[in-house]
């Protein structure tokens, strides 16, 4: 079923079951957010993507990432109330991640350049804003190596039982989605250090560049049924080999 | 117990058992609820059992170990039927005398009866005691009448009458009955129960669930525990009626592990219901299948929130999820799931048995029936009180509660658990119902009621509850997780004399965002204690900020203990009791407190018989 409603006066159509933030972005309306990624289910953690939704007599402030669109609603993305509360949540996050460019940029766009709260960071992930994108992505990829630990003010991102996890294949997808880039991943030409473990790289047979960690290769080949030699050469060398083959056929 | 194959068989057995146990038969009910048990009521029970047997009185007197009677602070409680005589603080040594004097000679032992601390009047009968007199006990009353492990006892007081009536109706008619009764959920939000059932029943599905929320995480609240411990069959019957009405075949009771007695009693009750053919396949030959399992909760407050509860039952972390979809449409494993609170379920059989008109005749326009509160704090009578909706706070605190002890004056009452608001004296005439409490900045919650007197610091109270909630927040939302932590820091600044007037503004601003932007009701209601105290007791905040003074003499950083020259007669007791050896002075000479060493524990003030220790 389609639903029809307005965002900042613009008439939009969407499918029932869609989330408001996705619909807004599709229509070119930007709503700032930190914990949203289209690849994983929204959880509404950062409380930055606030909007005002008017439905009949009722007006509510809500996060848009996990708000299921409804027919006939009137959405406003930039009211005084929205700005006020968004600024406060960003001020809270700025105290957690004072060094994060993304957080600082969003905060200053909301008029927040300093925070009235004491710094609040935890080791080994200073600047972590507990958006759980790393955990959700790791879960979605089927590894389940990361988890949240504790609750309330003691909540952290970490490894189950605080021990290096056998499930971690060293793919570093967590870092690639981390908005504050606070996860420590250190690569040498042959090894990757991540989450308390070292992973050997498979090196490209042609150029010797790292292709993928051994453990990640084993996981991908068995899970996705790829050919054994799939990761023997790196993407670059694979492409140049292919273009050479292609050239020999055409010319 | 025989297995009943038809409703008729059950009905016949009920009739037989009710006739064989006339209402005026002689019985002794020893409370075996958690509170009385802690006071040693099981030994009292044992001595009764032996004494009755050896004297042959066991043929004349029925002895029962029952669930909680609500007046826990006076335990162990022994209630006698049909006379209604209540003995309190009974010790095993008292049993011989009770048997000789009361059971044999019919005499009252005055010293075991209740003396009102306010009026000094003595009361023999339970129903005359002010604590009970102001109550209207529908759900709790049954606790005192039955042995919770006996299905027959439950049948004697009319148990399963509601279910038998429901079986004669179409499921939609049952829902209609609940709707018309006006019953609203007792777990906090007060959602109309019948409407929720209708939504669940109306959602197309091959499988539906009914869930009993017995997580009860509010500190100090124990009404749900008392019902599960004291009358588990009433919950089973309520869930049976609901399952029949909504077409659910599976039931789950989410019960906290910290309630071992409740887990045990409910387990026994489920077994006997199964044996009697009241749970399982083809119940009473009607073709209706339904069974209940217990899911033990680990004790996180947030797991009482229904979407977190669902996650927890499914084996995930107890983190709330945005609703809609509501559980009644998509709950456990995506199936329609109707979640109700313990008290809600326990009320349902009464409605079916006695009819919606009877139920809706009790209470107010918008809130029907009765509600159980756990009345605690600075009040003469503490315990569980069940009152009709719409009774004023004053009637509860000063009627059933008997007012404030030690001649102190009332300051505030907090309703609704850790995230309820604190209402001042000027609001004591507020009728207690779902809507009025919210209008006044508090809430019904699950029924916690904490009374505070002049010696309570309202900033300290707000800080305490925020401290609890920041710990119990699931940690998902920035506003709730970090917001509450920051709010706690700011309130600590006030309590410790570091705050300025801007701090108060920031507290209000932050509280506004926590309320407006958190995902679940833990976050959105968490600021009630702060905003209500800021509204009604602002002067106390200001005194902390501007004068660096705690008017109630609670906040350690802002008070000093000194010894009054005039009153001190040098008895030396304070010096002996001070854990820090901070007090010096010769016998019969003025004593002095070394401020450097004093940790402000207040022990000197408590032990001084001459009122010589001053807090300022
Ligand atoms: C933080 C939080 C804790 C809750 N704890 C409980 C609880 O312990 N018991 C309960 O019945 N409901 C609790 N609730 C309310 C439930 O979410 C739900 O509304 C209730 O179980 C529905 O039952 P009812 O309609 O019979 O009240 C809690 C809600 C929140 C937000
Ligand atoms: S480590 Fe990065 S991705 Fe993970 S929760 Fe923290 S900020 Fe989010
Ligand atoms: S409001 Fe608090 S408890 Fe509720 S989901 Fe958000 S963080 Fe968790």
């Amino acid at each position: 079923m389609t639903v029809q409603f307005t965002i900042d006066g613009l008439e939009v159509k969407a499918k029932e079951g869609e989330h408001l933030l996705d619909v807004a972005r599709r229509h070119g309306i930007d709503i700032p957010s930190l914990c949203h990624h289209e690849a994983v289910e929204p959880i509404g953690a950062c409380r930055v993507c606030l909007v005002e939704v008017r439905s009949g007599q009722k007006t509510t402030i809500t996060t848009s990432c996990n708000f299921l669109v409804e027919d006939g609603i009137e959405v406003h993305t930039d009211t005084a109330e929205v700005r006020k509360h968004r600024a406060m949540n960003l001020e809270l996050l700025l105290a957690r991640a004072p060094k994060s460019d993304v957080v600082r940029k969003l905060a200053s766009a909301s008029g927040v350049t300093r925070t009235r709260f004491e710094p609040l960071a935890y080791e080994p992930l200073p600047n972590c804003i507990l958006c759980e994108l790393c955990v959700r992505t790791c879960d979605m990829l089927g590894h389940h190596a990361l988890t949240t630990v504790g609750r309330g003010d003691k909540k952290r991102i970490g490894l189950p039982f605080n021990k290096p996890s056998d499930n971690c294949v060293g793919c570093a997808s967590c870092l690639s989605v981390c908005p504050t880039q606070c996860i420590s991943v250190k690569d040498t030409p042959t090894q990757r250090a991540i989450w308390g473990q070292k992973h050997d790289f498979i090196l490209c047979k042609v150029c010797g560049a790292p292709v993928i960690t051994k453990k990640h290769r084993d996981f991908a080949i068995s899970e996705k049924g790829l050919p054994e030699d799939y990761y023997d050469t790196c993407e670059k060398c694979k492409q140049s080999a292919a273009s050479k083959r292609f050239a020999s056929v055409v010319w | 117990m025989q297995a009943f194959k038809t409703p008729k068989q059950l009905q016949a057995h009920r009739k037989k058992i009710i006739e064989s146990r006339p209402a005026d038969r002689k019985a002794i009910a020893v409370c075996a609820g958690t509170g009385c048990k802690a006071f040693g009521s099981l030994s009292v029970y044992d001595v009764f059992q032996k004494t009755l047997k050896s004297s042959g009185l066991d043929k004349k007197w029925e002895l029962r170990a029952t669930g909680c009677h609500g007046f826990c602070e006076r335990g162990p409680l022994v209630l006698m039927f049909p006379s209604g005589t209540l003995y309190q603080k009974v010790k095993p040594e008292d049993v011989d005398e009770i048997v000789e004097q009361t059971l044999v000679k019919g005499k009252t032992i005055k010293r075991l009866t209740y003396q009102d601390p306010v009026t000094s009047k003595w009361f023999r009968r339970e129903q005359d005691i002010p604590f009970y007199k102001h109550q209207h006990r529908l759900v709790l009353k049954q606790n005192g009448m039955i042995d919770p492990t006996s299905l027959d006892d439950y049948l004697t007081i009319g148990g399963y009458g509601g279910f038998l009536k429901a079986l004669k109706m179409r499921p939609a008619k049952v829902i209609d009955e609940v709707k018309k009764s006006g019953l609203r959920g007792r777990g906090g939000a007060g959602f109309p129960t019948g409407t929720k059932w209708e939504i669940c029943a109306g959602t197309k599905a091959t499988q539906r669930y009914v869930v009993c929320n017995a997580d009860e995480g509010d500190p100090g609240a124990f009404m749900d525990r008392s019902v599960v411990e004291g009358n588990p069959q009433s919950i089973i019957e309520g869930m049976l009626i609901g399952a029949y009405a909504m077409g659910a075949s599976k039931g789950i009771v989410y019960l906290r592990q910290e309630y071992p007695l409740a887990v045990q009693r409910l387990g026994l009750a489920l077994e006997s219901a199964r044996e009697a053919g009241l749970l399982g396949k083809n119940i009473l030959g009607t073709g209706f299948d339904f069974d209940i399992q217990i899911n033990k909760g680990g004790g996180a407050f947030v797991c009482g929130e229904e979407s977190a509860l669902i996650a927890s039952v499914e084996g995930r972390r107890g983190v709330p999820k945005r609703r809609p979809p509501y559980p009644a449409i998509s709950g456990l494993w995506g199936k329609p799931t109707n979640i109700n609170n313990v008290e809600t379920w326990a009320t349902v059989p009464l409605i079916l048995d006695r009819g919606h008109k009877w139920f809706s005749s009790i209470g107010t326009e918008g809130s029907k029936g009765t509600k159980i509160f756990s009345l605690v704090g600075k009040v003469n009578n503490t315990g569980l009180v069940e009152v009709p909706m719409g009774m004023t706070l004053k009637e509860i605190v000063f009627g059933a509660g008997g007012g404030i002890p030690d001649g102190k004056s009332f300051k505030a009452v907090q309703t609704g658990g850790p995230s309820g608001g604190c209402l001042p004296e000027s609001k004591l005439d507020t009728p207690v119902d779902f809507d009025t409490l919210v209008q006044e900045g508090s809430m019904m919650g699950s029924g916690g009621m904490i009374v505070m007197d002049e010696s309570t610091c309202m900033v300290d109270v707000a800080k305490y509850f925020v401290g609890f909630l920041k710990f119990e927040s699931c940690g998902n939302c920035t506003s709730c997780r970090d917001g509450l932590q920051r709010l706690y820091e700011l309130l600590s600044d006030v309590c410790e004399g570091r705050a300025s007037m801007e701090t108060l503004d920031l507290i209000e601003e932050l509280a506004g965002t926590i309320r407006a932007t958190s995902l679940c009701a833990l976050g959105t209601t968490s600021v009630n204690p702060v905003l209500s105290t800021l509204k009604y007791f602002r002067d106390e905040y200001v005194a902390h900020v501007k004068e660096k003074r705690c008017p109630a003499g609670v906040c350690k950083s802002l008070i000093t203990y000194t010894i009054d020259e005039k009153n001190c007669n040098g008895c030396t007791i304070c010096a002996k009791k001070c854990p820090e050896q901070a007090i010096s002075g010769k016998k019969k000479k003025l004593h002095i407190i070394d401020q450097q060493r004093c940790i402000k524990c207040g022990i000197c003030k408590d032990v001084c018989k001459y009122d010589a220790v001053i807090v300022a």
Side-chain angles (χ1 to χ4, degrees):
Chain A
M1 246 207 9
T2 25
V3 293
Q4 212 170 336
F5 58 97
T6 65
I7 308 176
D8 294 337
L10 181 77
E11 280 281 347
V12 299
K13 278 198 184 110
K15 280 203 281 301
E16 205 177 24
E18 279 195 279
H19 290 121
L20 180 53
L21 181 64
D22 297 328
V23 179
R25 288 195 177 160
R26 190 164 70 228
H27 287 86
I29 297 168
D30 182 47
I31 301 170
S33 78
L34 284 164
C35 72
H36 183 70
H37 194 291
E38 53 280 4
V40 289
E41 280 290 308
I43 56 169
C46 69
R47 318 308 285 175
V48 170
C49 66
L50 299 171
V51 293
E52 213 172 282
V53 174
R54 295 181 200 156
S55 172
Q57 295 294 312
K58 246 176 67 187
T59 300
T60 37
I61 298 275
T62 173
T63 46
S64 56
C65 65
N66 57 359
F67 183 89
L68 293 173
V69 293
E70 289 166 29
D71 206 37
I73 53 171
E74 207 183 288
V75 180
H76 297 271
T77 66
D78 198 30
T79 66
E81 282 290 294
V82 164
R83 282 196 298 270
K84 176 175 89 184
H85 294 307
R86 176 183 297 149
M88 178 57 89
N89 285 336
L90 281 164
E91 186 176 343
L92 290 168
L93 288 173
L94 191 60
R96 268 197 183 271
K99 296 215 177 77
S100 156
D101 289 339
V102 176
V103 176
R104 270 174 31 200
K105 228 162 87 188
L106 278 191
S108 86
S110 280
V112 178
T113 47
R114 55 171 273 274
T115 172
R116 286 166 285 181
F117 307 112
E118 300 289 313
L120 184 73
Y122 73 92
E123 288 302 325
L125 298 172
N127 291 313
C128 169
I129 54 164
L130 294 166
C131 71
E132 288 183 46
L133 270 175
C134 51
V135 180
R136 283 180 283 158
T137 303
C138 186
D139 278 346
M140 187 266 296
L141 292 171
H143 304 307
H144 309 285
L146 296 176
T147 182
T148 60
V149 183
R151 64 174 184 271
D153 54 346
K154 301 274 184 304
K155 182 170 169 170
R156 305 278 182 267
I157 300 296
L159 298 157
F161 311 107
N162 233 341
K163 282 198 285 233
S165 167
D166 229 15
N167 285 1
C168 178
V169 297
C171 67
S173 303
C174 47
L175 177 64
S176 75
V177 292
C178 176
T180 64
Q181 292 292 298
C182 67
I183 298 168
S184 159
V185 178
K186 292 211 169 84
D187 288 353
T188 67
T190 56
Q191 268 192 335
R192 165 172 291 167
I194 182 170
W195 292 115
Q197 289 184 79
K198 287 196 172 128
H199 297 270
D200 289 334
F201 280 126
I202 303 279
L203 302 179
C204 176
K205 278 198 172 144
V206 182
C207 70
V211 185
I212 188 172
T213 67
K214 273 202 177 109
K215 210 166 168 190
H216 192 194
R217 178 198 63 182
D218 296 347
F219 178 89
I221 284 175
S222 74
E223 287 292 301
K224 296 184 188 137
L226 296 172
E228 282 288 330
D229 61 355
Y230 189 82
Y231 292 108
D232 283 1
T233 38
C234 71
E235 267 324 293
K236 243 193 195 154
C237 295
K238 256 188 210 157
Q239 265 172 20
S240 74
S243 57
K244 266 183 209 151
R245 267 204 308 282
F246 185 65
S248 68
V249 174
V250 177
W251 284 286
Chain B
M1 162 103 28
Q2 69 183 104
F4 306 110
K5 302 234 160 53
T6 61
K8 266 216 179 95
Q9 280 182 11
L10 173 62
Q11 186 61 288
H13 179 79
R14 280 180 83 231
K15 219 173 136 207
K16 200 179 83 197
I17 203 145
I18 291 171
E19 275 164 8
S20 74
R21 297 178 173 191
D24 59 357
R25 74 193 188 286
K26 293 177 168 168
I28 308 158
V30 180
C31 174
T34 294
C36 282
K37 253 179 90 178
F39 281 126
S41 72
L42 291 189
S43 329
V44 173
Y45 178 85
D46 288 344
V47 181
F48 259 117
Q49 200 171 34
K50 276 194 210 115
T51 317
L52 290 180
K53 197 148 188 208
S54 63
S55 59
L57 282 170
D58 56 338
K59 312 258 155 18
K60 274 197 192 154
W61 286 83
E62 190 183 313
L63 178 67
R64 262 181 248 141
T66 70
C68 175
H69 300 206
F71 207 6
C72 309
E73 65 161 42
R74 292 284 171 161
L77 299 172
V78 175
L79 179 61
M80 268 146 293
F81 295 98
S83 68
T85 301
L86 177 75
Y87 288 154
Q88 38 106 54
K89 302 200 175 180
V90 178
K91 297 193 188 64
E93 308 86 86
D94 298 325
V95 172
D96 272 347
E97 195 183 343
I98 298 177
V99 171
E100 255 167 54
Q101 295 298 321
T102 310
L103 302 197
V104 178
K105 296 190 189 149
K107 285 190 184 151
T108 307
I109 307 165
K110 191 170 173 187
R111 72 177 170 85
L112 291 176
T113 58
Y114 173 80
Q115 186 183 23
D116 190 285
V118 186
T119 59
S120 302
K121 263 175 76 176
W122 294 86
F123 294 91
R124 176 180 67 86
R125 292 194 310 173
E126 182 194 59
Q127 68 215 70
D128 299 329
I129 295 174
F131 177 75
Y132 289 108
K133 206 174 94 189
H134 291 86
Q135 298 192 42
H136 187 127
R137 299 195 302 157
L138 302 177
V139 176
L140 271 186
K141 187 161 185 191
Q142 302 188 334
N143 271 17
M145 298 167 71
I146 58 169
D147 171 351
T149 59
S150 161
L151 177 56
D152 273 349
D153 270 19
Y154 183 61
L155 296 176
T156 314
I157 55 163
Y160 286 98
F163 179 53
L164 283 169
K165 284 198 181 143
L167 282 181
K168 287 194 192 139
M169 305 177 187
R170 281 177 297 107
K173 185 81 194 3
V174 176
I175 295 180
D176 200 44
E177 192 68 14
V178 176
K179 261 177 99 171
K180 282 191 184 135
S181 76
L183 174 66
R184 291 170 67 173
R186 284 359 188 190
F191 193 82
T193 306
T195 308
K196 200 193 282 187
W197 289 20
E198 195 170 53
I199 296 169
C200 181
T203 306
K204 273 211 173 72
T206 48
Q207 169 78 56
R208 284 189 195 84
Y209 297 96
V210 290
V211 174
C212 172
N213 188 344
D215 189 52
E216 195 164 57
D218 304 26
F222 57 107
M223 42 265 157
D224 292 350
R225 187 192 76 204
S226 291
V227 176
V228 182
E229 281 177 8
N231 195 357
Q233 292 292 348
S234 67
I235 296 160
I236 300 175
E237 186 185 355
M239 290 177 78
L240 262 167
I241 294 169
Y244 171 76
M246 288 174 266
S249 61
K250 284 202 181 117
I252 285 166
V253 179
Y254 190 80
L255 184 53
R256 57 176 32 222
Q257 200 167 320
E258 287 103 320
Y259 285 177
L261 186 63
V263 174
Q264 183 205 359
R265 296 254 171 93
L266 182 64
L268 286 173
L270 288 172
E271 257 170 57
S272 44
R274 266 178 221 125
E275 258 172 49
L278 290 165
L279 287 175
K281 290 249 177 286
N282 193 18
I283 292 167
L284 300 179
T286 57
F288 164 49
D289 302 336
F290 179 66
D291 210 335
I292 298 174
Q293 81 181 47
I294 301 177
N295 255 69
K296 283 187 266 182
F301 176 61
V302 74
C303 284
E305 195 281 336
E306 56 188 23
S307 62
L309 184 151
I310 288 174
S312 172
V313 172
E314 289 178 354
R316 293 180 287 117
R317 290 168 53 83
V319 175
K321 218 175 135 185
R322 183 182 190 120
R323 304 164 308 163
Y326 287 94
I329 291 171
S330 171
L332 276 170
W333 298 286
K335 304 289 186 230
T337 302
N338 181 80
I339 304 177
N340 277 127
N341 168 257
V342 169
E343 232 183 299
T344 316
W345 286 120
T347 308
V348 166
L350 300 174
I351 295 172
L352 265 287
D353 194 30
R354 303 188 204 174
H356 67 86
K357 285 212 181 86
W358 160 79
F359 187 78
S360 61
S361 71
I362 308 163
T364 66
E365 184 62 33
S367 306
K368 299 296 184 192
T370 59
K371 173 83 189 88
I372 308 175
F373 293 95
S374 82
L375 185 62
V376 295
K378 304 289 176 59
V379 58
N380 274 310
N381 308 326
T382 61
L384 295 182
V385 296
E386 183 174 350
V387 298
M389 295 276 189
M391 188 181 251
T392 64
L393 284 168
K394 194 187 245 153
E395 284 172 280
I396 300 177
V397 175
F398 288 88
I404 315 300
D406 305 329
K408 293 203 170 133
S409 61
F410 171 90
K411 187 185 255 184
V413 56
Q414 191 209 30
T415 69
S419 35
C422 299
L423 301 177
E425 197 173 1
S426 62
K427 295 286 173 190
L428 272 176
D429 288 323
T430 304
V432 175
D433 63 61
F434 289 108
D435 312 309
T436 317
L437 285 177
V438 171
Q439 273 162 30
E440 299 295 355
S442 189
M443 58 186 206
M444 181 77 88
S446 53
M449 197 174 275
I450 303 175
V451 182
M452 302 164 198
D453 70 9
E454 60 194 30
S455 66
T456 316
C457 167
M458 299 315 286
V459 190
D460 182 61
V461 162
K463 187 182 105 178
Y464 170 80
F465 287 116
V466 169
F468 172 81
L469 292 164
K470 85 174 165 78
F471 179 79
E472 290 292 348
S473 154
C474 82
N476 181 73
C477 308
T478 301
S479 48
C480 172
R481 177 198 63 232
D482 291 359
L484 286 173
Q485 169 154 13
R486 276 27 175 107
L487 207 50
Y488 185 81
E489 290 167 7
L490 296 170
L491 290 166
S492 303
D493 285 348
V494 177
C495 291
E496 287 158 31
R498 288 187 300 268
S500 64
M501 290 308 279
E502 279 86 71
T503 314
L504 299 191
D505 295 339
L506 182 55
I507 287 175
E508 251 171 333
E509 192 188 334
L510 179 57
T513 296
I514 298 172
R515 164 179 280 176
T517 72
S518 299
L519 186 150
C520 83
L522 189 152
T524 56
T525 61
S526 65
V527 294
N528 282 336
V530 180
L531 292 177
S532 64
T533 49
L534 258 175
K535 178 169 167 193
Y536 297 122
F537 302 94
R538 197 175 179 90
D539 52 335
E540 278 194 46
Y541 281 83
V542 174
H544 282 75
V545 172
K546 285 198 170 156
E547 302 163 40
K548 308 289 173 213
R549 184 174 68 85
C550 173
V554 173
C555 294
K556 284 188 182 177
S557 310
L558 304 182
I559 54 173
T560 49
Y561 284 83
T562 47
I563 295 176
D564 182 18
E565 216 171 311
K566 279 199 266 6
N567 286 352
C568 174
N569 68 359
C571 77
T572 73
I573 180 101
C574 58
K576 286 195 188 111
K577 297 284 178 187
C578 174
E580 296 296 307
Q581 280 97 42
I583 306 180
S584 57
K586 294 224 168 65
K587 220 174 180 171
K588 300 206 170 140
K589 291 266 152 58
L590 172 67
H591 280 52
I592 288 172
I593 301 176
D594 176 355
Q595 296 301 333
Q596 299 299 313
R597 286 181 128 171
C598 172
I599 54 164
K600 296 165 188 171
C601 67
I603 290 176
C604 51
K605 186 171 164 57
D606 291 342
V607 297
C608 178
K609 292 196 189 82
Y610 307 97
D611 261 344
V613 179
I614 310 168
V615 191

